Amino acid sequence: MERRRGEYTKKYARTWQGALGVLLAGGVLLTGCSGTPAGNKTSADGRRDGPLPAPAPAASGGAADSEGAKKRDGLRESAPPDYLSTFALDVDTASYGYARRTLGDGGLPDPSTVRPEEFVNSFRQGYRRPDGNGFTVNVDGARAGAKGDDWSLVRVGLATRAAPARDERPPAALTFVVDISGSMAETGRLDLVKKSLDILTDELRDDDSVSLVTFSDEAKTLLPMTRLQGHRGRIRDRVDSMEATDSTNVEAGIRRGYEEAVDGRVEGANNRVVLLSDALANTGETDAEAILERIGSARRDYGITLFGVGVGSDYGDALMEQLTNKGDGHTTYIADEEQARKVFVDQLPAHLELTARDAKAQVAFDRDTVKQFRLIGYEDRKVADEDFRNDRVDGGEVGPGHTVTALYAVRLRAGAFGHVATATVRWLDPRTRAPHEQHGTVGTDAIDGPLWGGDSKRLQVTATAAYLAEALRGGRLPGAPGLGELSSHARKLAAETEDESVRKLATMVGQADRLKNGPGDGGSGEVPEGELD
């Protein structure tokens, strides 16, 4: 998922080259609300039964229009030729997990670590799933504000087939690369990693295989690729022997880990490297690109992908993102044993197998009905519009059991009625690399109901997560309530859904409100007038 572009790319490149250079030297499809197949036609070669959905036609308007999208209210106003929104799909959740840990510790997360799409994708959505590989397209929406408000939220939801049962998935060959540097001695780091690996040793099948590499100031292979059958005790002994010591040479750990993964590669298995670390590198080679190239070559030549699991109250978010993006993988974050069980037991198949490679989405808004729009989050997943069907341009990797959600803030024109947008998702078959596409449309009638108190509790949960993320970044979305009011909505949703994950979200909103506004200040819920930054 090597997709960082523009200013965001330069920012992370500076972070990577600068921070690692120093630290290592001294990490809609829019259909009708029902998501019925009528709007979702597909073919093996990426061509559909009808014409491709086209972007809205260019409007007249003279020189001002030719300058591209205008900025107003901090959002993009539809102006030709840019009625398109194109991005790579993303299933990471680390940003949400780390923010939850930070708020629980009494602090606000650094805004640069807050990615709204990872907040939204941390919650169960209940989308309809396909029987085979590919995606179903699920979409709904609601008014963001009061009746008559011209801002709406549109939720674009994609779902892959259900994750296979434990005995039905292909075998796995996993190389665990474990950080045992001095910083990992803190409670909730190496002790949690060891507990996680013990859980996973119980969960894996007899025909799965694992190897174990540790790194501090240098890397060491504790266990070559070993089949689980008859060797669980040996694996646990190696895990129990790990102790925190010395500095953090991520470069050495990554190199040794990929050497072991390539040497121990199992034909017909899902071969993965799993990096467990706080990603606080402070020694080793300064050539970050060499590390990334090693990951990239193993991915290209052997199909070995990288799964990053972050731990620790102080966590190298940027480094872990860079590594997993290069390795066509995912990141998550665990702060306690409950989260570890969720990742290594409940979500394990989705992290091992791929159902779609280089998946991208493109939404074409209709200028006759849409005045402004904004994709909430996905800043570091944006793809040039003209590269949507360029299969040499990297997209996102998605496995079974995953859902991907994208929220748009959409401002309709006065009196608008009818077609709002047409969207297309494109992905490659992970084995044959044959392209496939699905598409759908949405109209004004599908996004006209109220958000709060509406029929879809899951849409309200999604909006709550996105509103919280934007508030933590220091922004404000159209129609968003203040944190105090949002906290009330979240508590009500937690009671209505009886969902523990929603209860934890409500707790986070309350914590953010107190830290930002102080005790007893519920926030006014008013939207500031004038231009929004």
Side-chain angles (χ1 to χ4, degrees), residues 87-89 135 356-361 395-398 425-428:
F87 62 96
L89 304 193
F135 296 92
R357 280 193 179 274
D358 293 324
K360 310 182 191 89
E397 281 62 46
V398 185
V425 60
R426 182 179 179 87
W427 74 96
L428 303 182

Side-chain angles (χ1 to χ4, degrees), residues 58-95:
S60 60
D65 286 341
S66 66
E67 293 174 1
K70 298 177 182 178
K71 294 291 184 179
R72 188 174 297 173
D73 293 344
L75 297 139
R76 176 189 301 170
E77 181 169 358
S78 297
D82 194 3
Y83 279 94
L84 294 174
S85 172
T86 308
F87 62 96
L89 304 193
D90 179 38
V91 295
D92 291 351
T93 59
S95 176

Side-chain angles (χ1 to χ4, degrees), residues 254-271:
I254 289 292
R255 285 186 180 278
R256 177 61 70 89
Y258 270 88
E259 288 170 1
E260 289 294 332
V262 170
D263 290 344
R265 181 171 172 268
V266 178
E267 290 291 340
N270 289 315
N271 292 268

Side-chain angles (χ1 to χ4, degrees), residues 355-402:
T355 58
R357 280 193 179 274
D358 293 324
K360 310 182 191 89
Q362 185 172 82
V363 183
F365 289 93
D366 192 325
R367 68 177 178 89
D368 291 333
T369 54
V370 175
K371 184 177 183 180
Q372 292 174 294
F373 67 91
R374 175 182 169 184
L375 174 60
I376 301 170
Y378 289 93
E379 287 89 355
D380 60 339
R381 299 294 189 258
K382 289 183 178 178
V383 174
D385 294 335
E386 61 271 20
D387 286 335
F388 177 60
R389 292 188 175 91
N390 181 352
D391 295 332
R392 294 189 300 269
V393 174
D394 203 14
E397 281 62 46
V398 185
H402 275 137

